[in-house]
Amino acid sequence: MGFFSRMFTNNRSKSKGTAKRSHIASEDRAVSAATKDNVEYVQQALYQTGDLENRPIVCSAGQGCLLYLDSVCDPDKIHEFILKPLFAAGEDDPMSVITSSDVQKHTDLERAIDLMLEGYSVLHFEGGRECYVVRVPSVNNRAVEEPMNEKAIQGAHNGFIESMNVNLQLIRKQIGSRNLVVRRYRLGKMTKSDASIVYLNDLADPKLVDEIDRKIKAIDADNLMNAYMILEYVENQSFSPFPQILQTERPDRTIGNLLEGRIAFLMEGTPTALIVPVSFFVFYQSPDDYNSRTLAGTFIRLLRLFSFFIAIMLPAYYIAVVSFHYEVIPKEVFYQIKGSVAKIPYPPILEALFMELAIELLREAGMRLPAPIGQSIGIVGGLVIGDAVVRVGLVSYPMIIVVALTAIASFVVPSHEMSYSVRLLRFPLMLSAAFLGFQGIVFSLMAILVHLCILESFGRPYFAPLAPMRLKDWKDSLMRLPFWMLNERPMESHSQKLIQESNRQKGGAKR
Amino acid sequence: MIAGKDKITPGQLMFVIIQAQIGVNILFLPSSVESVASSDAWISVSLAGITTMILILAIWGLSRRFPGMILFDYLPLLLGKPIGTIVHLVFAASFIAECSLTSLLFVNAVRDWIFPNTPKSIVLILILAVSLYMARENLRAIARFFVLTFGLIFLMIFIATYAYKEADIMYILPINQAGIPSIIKGALFSMNSFFGYEMLFFCYPYVQGKSRTILKAVFYANTFSVLVYVYLVFTCLLVFTPEEIKIIPQPILYMVKALSFTIIERADLYFLTIWTVVVTSTIMAYLFMSARSVSSLFGMKNHAGTTPFVTLIVFCISLYPHNQDMVNRLKSIVGILGSVSFVTLPIVLLCISYLFKVQRKESAEG
């Protein structure tokens, strides 16, 4: 044990040292009366960085200097909000002249430097014991477009972008309630990224809000680049194959979940909202379900859940049948399959593993390449290799059918993380089927089911409403009944108010 | 005393009891009872089910007098420390023995039907590992799993129902041809199929709701189990001639083996697969009970720590018998232990509780 612990901790002493050296001094430094001293101090504090701009100002308010980082500041705004009004005004207090929405007075230069990194410019006048800090960030957002990986056929076509404020705006625009609360955080000792949790005060479970709040505040790391990293910090069971947090780039999906009493986590730089607590079935809901008719929505949703079983079980079932229980195939089919399978030199498990890995490779390759080449990879891989491999006699035709069906079924999941878990779970099931046939499959499936029964997403049962069984919640998890019948919010999000519409009648319903 | 987090609903209790009761004996019950009560076997099984109701009533009456406590909390109160510990040991031994026997019968059936050459230990390790994973958790998680897999029992019944194509009512007529003594003897033989209701000892304090609702839930559960068993035994009696059943050890499997559907053949393999889940839930329930009893023997509140050791003991016991003779010996040992701790003791304890007026004071529950 000692060996292993040393193996994992052997560079701890090294990292401690660096941590100390890179520690940013945060003792107060009063603003000096001489502008030159201040400028020099700032230049030193930022290690003579190249993007630090220094613009001397001489106007009727006095002699001074404007400091800003031109990489994060917008020169048009500086001109518009600071320079123009300053030169136009008389000897008034600059506080009353500068027209930016955020002007602060600071006597501590260190604080001013911290703000400079976020797009503030610092203005100091000769002889003053304080400086003016004006917010002039350059905003460089991409358009609010439909996310590539979560397309909806009908319904809203907007998506989150990398700017948290725009994302918050997208949410607030839809939920006009004053109960919508945003709690802001600043995460990462070095990166200092903005993050926030969003919830509806009258719906979300306050205990859960506090727990997430505590967990986020407890994160003690230098770098927090994106929301996915936070996810791994706050998740309860990192080694479970199932995702316990829903990631979505769609505002409508986020809003729908907020209105069911869930909590969303947003972060600057990540076009994704993380939603907790979620159950297994939330991953199988798609905004499309709600934009189509009840029967169609229910059918599609059941189809998706069915695809889960196909995706994890079909290869395993085929392997079990071919290697152990060929008696279960009816006679007529048996002769058909036997003709193809009997000539293959390898056991079915090797065939299956080979083909599954080939499909995974194709998928990974197709994803990285630009769209036109990606397609040709699909053709080369799918058609050419698939056909050749059978002709050579390495893999049987039924196996190709099984693997292709499995791959298609695993694409059906509307959430990416769940699709990864489905792809992963397939392999243990295939192996157990190769060892013990149906018995092997049933033992692995039971292990997965037990895991699902035990697993909790932030203290809420993960496999609800199947375990614990709550038939009422089936209305909007396994099925999608008409909106006027969905009178109650699902239990598993533990929202404070269960009733979401009181009138059962169709005409009188809110929608 | 018991946190709201661990509580289960009366509905969940119902499924827990059903899953604990219905287990391996689905396969073996028809022929074992038939050998005693011949074509009146289904009457025997019903009788056994009714007797179980009385035992459930005893357990319920006992648990009701000690609110918030499981069996082992009030054994010392009833019997005093030394005798209480001995009875506790008997209970623990019964649970472990019952668990081992169930695993053993399961593994033997799997080897007989699917994998004659696979070492016993491998199947045993698999089923015990899955059970261990579940049995370590609290009652609530276990209840969730049991509710989830409950539907499979219907699937089994559905497969069995197909056999009515070949049923012949003449096989069970005339009723009562074996005579009442044989029927009662058959009922005694089939009692062990209904073991599992002891789960009430452990569940009672964890169930939300009034004691009457709990009793109702357990009654429904038992009724369901009795119906399932009687139905399956009845079906076998109708399908096979009395001579046939005597020869074949697992009549239901032979029955469904003959069935042929359009897209699948050999329904017995599917039946066995589903049956595996049902048996696993029984083993989970018994592992849970064994672990609970062993941990309270050592005064531990949490049973997660002892479960692996209990599982190891169960593994060793069920690995040991290597021929039919030893299996039969284990069966008779379990029969004795079971009839002592699951049949006699509940009634005796209830009598003691009433005669000496031992019960938990209501104020203590607070």
Side-chain angles (χ1 to χ4, degrees):
Chain A
M1 282 314 275
F3 169 73
F4 284 108
S5 66
R6 242 178 298 138
M7 218 167 82
F8 285 114
T9 53
N10 61 353
N11 54 1
R12 186 169 287 170
S13 54
K14 217 188 290 171
S15 59
K16 251 182 205 158
T18 23
K20 213 170 247 171
R21 247 178 288 141
S22 68
H23 183 72
I24 300 155
S26 59
E27 294 102 55
D28 291 0
R29 152 91 191 198
V31 175
S32 148
T35 307
K36 210 180 92 199
D37 291 354
N38 290 329
V39 171
E40 264 169 23
Y41 184 78
V42 171
Q43 274 170 348
Q44 257 171 26
L46 294 174
Y47 304 105
Q48 314 286 355
T49 179
D51 55 349
L52 179 66
E53 289 292 323
N54 171 10
R55 189 200 190 281
I57 294 176
V58 184
C59 64
S60 38
Q63 258 190 355
C65 187
L66 183 70
L67 285 169
Y68 60 94
L69 291 169
D70 72 347
S71 50
V72 288
C73 289
D74 187 351
D76 290 345
K77 279 186 190 156
I78 292 174
H79 177 244
E80 188 73 17
F81 298 150
I82 306 174
L83 299 179
K84 221 161 119 185
L86 266 183
F87 288 117
E91 287 180 19
D92 301 329
D93 179 21
M95 268 309 253
S96 62
V97 171
I98 294 168
T99 50
S100 171
S101 63
D102 186 359
V103 189
Q104 304 167 11
K105 242 186 212 177
H106 279 287
T107 50
D108 175 16
L109 206 52
E110 281 295 337
R111 178 81 190 108
I113 292 170
D114 281 346
L115 285 171
M116 272 175 77
L117 298 172
E118 291 157 29
Y120 286 75
S121 63
V122 175
L123 180 64
H124 182 256
F125 286 109
E126 191 69 47
R129 300 297 297 187
E130 75 244 324
C131 59
Y132 303 94
V133 183
V134 189
R135 187 157 181 273
V136 282
S138 75
V139 180
N140 194 8
N141 288 337
R142 69 178 164 106
V144 179
E145 282 166 345
E146 176 156 44
M148 286 278 282
N149 50 4
E150 275 179 278
K151 285 223 161 83
I153 296 161
Q154 284 165 327
H157 290 298
N158 56 0
F160 287 140
I161 60 166
E162 282 76 6
S163 156
M164 189 175 76
N165 275 331
V166 175
N167 297 347
L168 286 174
Q169 183 207 348
L170 287 173
I171 294 174
R172 254 222 207 273
K173 216 160 58 180
Q174 290 267 319
I175 305 180
S177 164
R178 61 174 73 176
N179 277 309
L180 186 77
V181 182
V182 178
R183 278 201 204 178
R184 279 183 188 264
Y185 303 90
R186 171 135 302 190
L187 300 174
K189 280 182 292 196
M190 221 139 99
T191 48
K192 299 219 168 83
S193 330
D194 277 318
S196 57
I197 58 174
V198 188
Y199 58 94
L200 281 158
N201 198 33
D202 56 340
L203 288 184
D205 183 8
K207 266 189 251 152
L208 187 63
V209 175
D210 288 343
E211 192 197 329
I212 293 173
D213 184 67
R214 187 180 52 77
K215 275 188 171 172
I216 291 179
K217 279 183 182 153
I219 297 173
D220 172 48
D222 279 353
N223 314 325
L224 287 166
M225 301 294 294
N226 55 34
Y228 313 105
M229 291 175 76
I230 312 285
L231 184 153
E232 301 220 326
Y233 279 104
V234 297
E235 216 172 35
N236 293 41
Q237 292 211 359
S238 293
F239 289 103
S240 164
F242 292 101
Q244 296 139 55
I245 296 178
L246 176 71
Q247 305 181 9
T248 180
E249 293 191 26
R250 296 190 62 91
D252 50 355
R253 211 171 178 191
T254 313
I255 290 159
N257 279 305
L258 285 178
L259 291 174
E260 283 183 351
R262 299 200 173 88
I263 300 166
F265 176 86
L266 297 165
M267 192 159 168
E268 188 73 41
T270 309
T272 312
L274 309 184
I275 292 161
V276 288
V278 286
S279 74
F280 177 81
F281 297 97
V282 170
F283 291 94
Y284 280 87
Q285 296 173 341
S286 150
D288 268 338
D289 303 350
Y290 299 98
N291 299 326
S292 53
R293 296 184 60 77
T294 299
L295 283 179
T298 306
F299 171 70
I300 303 278
R301 194 171 277 177
L302 288 177
L303 192 74
R304 276 193 219 118
L305 285 170
F306 182 58
S307 82
F308 174 76
F309 287 102
I310 293 185
I312 67 169
M313 271 180 62
L314 188 64
Y317 177 81
Y318 176 76
I319 291 171
V321 166
V322 174
S323 12
F324 293 99
H325 312 294
Y326 47 85
E327 320 80 290
V328 304
I329 315 171
K331 229 186 324 187
E332 300 78 22
V333 189
F334 175 73
Y335 290 122
Q336 302 275 335
I337 292 182
K338 188 177 168 269
S340 174
V341 174
K343 281 178 250 155
I344 308 300
Y346 301 116
I349 176 71
L350 283 185
E351 261 182 276
L353 280 179
F354 172 66
M355 278 322 282
E356 290 288 350
L357 284 177
I359 288 258
E360 296 292 318
L361 282 178
L362 274 179
R363 184 187 295 200
E364 215 38 45
M367 211 148 55
R368 303 284 156 241
L369 289 168
I373 311 177
Q375 274 177 6
S376 54
I377 280 283
I379 292 167
V380 170
L383 295 181
V384 177
I385 296 184
D387 189 53
V389 104
V390 173
R391 273 166 202 272
V392 171
L394 292 177
V395 176
S396 61
Y397 269 123
M399 183 57 85
I400 298 275
I401 301 175
V402 165
V403 169
L405 266 179
T406 314
I408 293 170
S410 66
F411 283 128
V412 176
V413 193
S415 150
H416 252 275
E417 313 98 274
M418 191 49 102
S419 140
Y420 285 124
S421 3
V422 166
R423 283 158 66 183
L424 274 181
L425 282 177
R426 207 152 66 205
F427 291 100
L429 271 168
M430 271 157 53
L431 285 176
S432 53
F435 285 123
L436 272 178
F438 283 175
Q439 293 292 313
I441 297 181
V442 83
F443 283 130
S444 319
L445 269 188
M446 265 196 292
I448 293 173
L449 267 189
V450 171
H451 179 71
L452 280 171
C453 287
I454 299 172
L455 191 62
E456 292 190 333
S457 163
F458 292 84
R460 310 282 166 262
Y462 185 70
F463 209 42
L466 272 185
M469 194 69 81
R470 195 178 131 90
L471 291 178
K472 258 186 184 172
D473 284 351
W474 283 30
K475 282 194 219 168
D476 191 23
S477 53
L478 274 81
M479 297 180 269
R480 199 207 48 90
L481 292 187
F483 291 112
W484 51 270
M485 280 170 85
L486 308 176
N487 290 324
E488 288 182 11
R489 296 195 167 82
M491 188 79 146
E492 108 274 338
S493 58
H494 253 245
S495 57
Q496 292 177 47
K497 286 190 217 154
L498 212 54
I499 307 293
Q500 60 181 349
E501 60 186 16
S502 50
N503 197 337
R504 279 194 82 86
Q505 295 307 307
K506 222 170 166 176
K510 279 176 206 159
R511 291 192 186 249
Chain B
M1 181 167 172
I2 289 154
K5 218 175 160 259
D6 297 337
K7 291 259 181 186
I8 61 173
T9 64
Q12 284 177 318
L13 172 72
M14 194 167 85
F15 293 109
V16 169
I17 302 278
I18 291 175
Q19 293 274 27
Q21 281 190 311
I22 298 183
V24 266
N25 269 319
I26 283 182
L27 294 193
F28 309 108
L29 186 64
S31 67
S32 70
V33 184
E34 212 271 351
S35 63
V36 183
S38 65
S39 57
D40 291 324
W42 61 280
I43 306 178
S44 300
V45 177
S46 328
L47 264 182
I50 293 165
T51 321
T52 317
M53 296 281 188
I54 298 167
L55 295 172
I56 288 173
L57 204 62
I59 296 178
W60 173 76
L62 202 56
S63 306
R64 200 173 54 141
R65 290 171 74 83
F66 300 95
M69 295 165 106
I70 66 165
L71 173 67
F72 305 116
D73 298 330
Y74 54 76
L75 265 183
L77 298 181
L78 275 173
L79 301 169
K81 197 107 206 222
I83 306 178
T85 313
I86 294 171
V87 174
H88 190 155
L89 275 173
V90 172
F91 267 109
S94 321
F95 290 133
I96 292 176
E98 181 76 36
C99 189
S100 316
L101 181 65
T102 311
S103 326
L104 177 65
L105 291 178
F106 167 77
V107 172
N108 282 346
V110 168
R111 293 188 70 199
D112 286 349
W113 275 88
I114 319 179
F115 301 119
N117 298 325
T118 306
K120 210 165 94 179
S121 51
I122 289 187
V123 185
L124 209 53
I125 286 173
L126 279 174
I127 192 166
L128 286 179
V130 173
S131 309
L132 167 67
Y133 187 29
M134 182 83 264
R136 293 177 71 240
E137 298 299 318
N138 58 14
L139 192 59
R140 197 181 212 187
I142 294 176
R144 281 178 195 162
F145 181 79
F146 283 6
V147 177
L148 197 62
T149 51
F150 171 73
L152 292 175
I153 294 175
F154 285 103
L155 211 57
M156 277 181 12
I157 295 172
F158 172 76
I159 296 178
T161 307
Y162 243 76
Y164 270 91
K165 282 195 300 192
E166 283 140 48
D168 186 352
I169 192 80
M170 295 310 284
Y171 289 149
I172 60 156
L173 293 176
I175 289 167
N176 193 18
Q177 56 176 291
I180 290 171
S182 305
I183 292 180
I184 291 175
K185 206 176 155 211
L188 290 178
F189 258 75
S190 46
M191 267 314 278
N192 65 336
S193 307
F194 294 99
F195 286 168
Y197 55 83
E198 320 84 83
M199 199 69 185
L200 185 60
F201 272 134
F202 298 86
C203 296
Y204 189 90
Y206 293 94
V207 187
Q208 302 163 331
K210 292 196 207 84
S211 58
R212 198 167 288 271
T213 358
I214 298 174
L215 183 65
K216 231 193 260 170
V218 184
F219 263 5
Y220 287 149
N222 191 50
T223 313
F224 182 83
S225 314
V226 172
L227 283 179
V228 170
Y229 275 124
V230 170
Y231 178 78
L232 291 176
V233 170
F234 194 73
T235 315
C236 287
L237 291 174
L238 285 184
V239 171
F240 294 107
T241 63
E243 284 73 32
E244 275 175 326
I245 295 196
K246 287 197 177 63
I247 312 167
I248 46 181
Q250 296 116 359
I252 291 187
L253 288 180
Y254 282 97
M255 189 171 82
V256 294
K257 186 178 178 179
L259 304 178
S260 165
F261 301 81
T262 350
I263 46 165
I264 54 162
E265 301 262 339
R266 286 292 302 271
D268 58 322
L269 288 175
Y270 292 95
F271 192 90
L272 263 176
T273 310
I274 299 165
W275 176 73
T276 305
V277 182
V278 177
V279 175
T280 313
S281 29
T282 308
I283 295 178
M284 283 169 183
Y286 272 104
L287 262 188
F288 175 76
M289 291 194 271
S290 319
R292 277 306 291 260
S293 44
V294 169
S295 14
S296 58
L297 197 60
F298 294 110
M300 281 185 274
K301 272 250 173 287
N302 200 341
H303 72 283
T306 49
T307 320
F309 299 103
V310 173
T311 315
L312 196 67
I313 296 171
V314 169
F315 176 73
C316 296
I317 295 177
S318 35
L319 199 60
Y320 183 63
H322 43 74
N323 55 25
Q324 193 56 39
D325 202 31
M326 295 176 86
V327 175
N328 288 341
R329 210 175 305 153
L330 182 66
K331 247 187 210 166
S332 60
I333 292 172
V334 171
I336 294 165
L337 275 175
S339 55
V340 168
S341 43
F342 308 148
V343 180
T344 322
L345 273 175
I347 293 175
V348 171
L349 290 176
L350 185 71
C351 291
I352 292 173
S353 165
Y354 270 101
L355 284 177
F356 297 97
K357 298 205 165 48
V358 192
Q359 72 180 80
R360 194 180 198 203
K361 292 190 180 58
E362 286 302 316
S363 60
E365 213 207 349

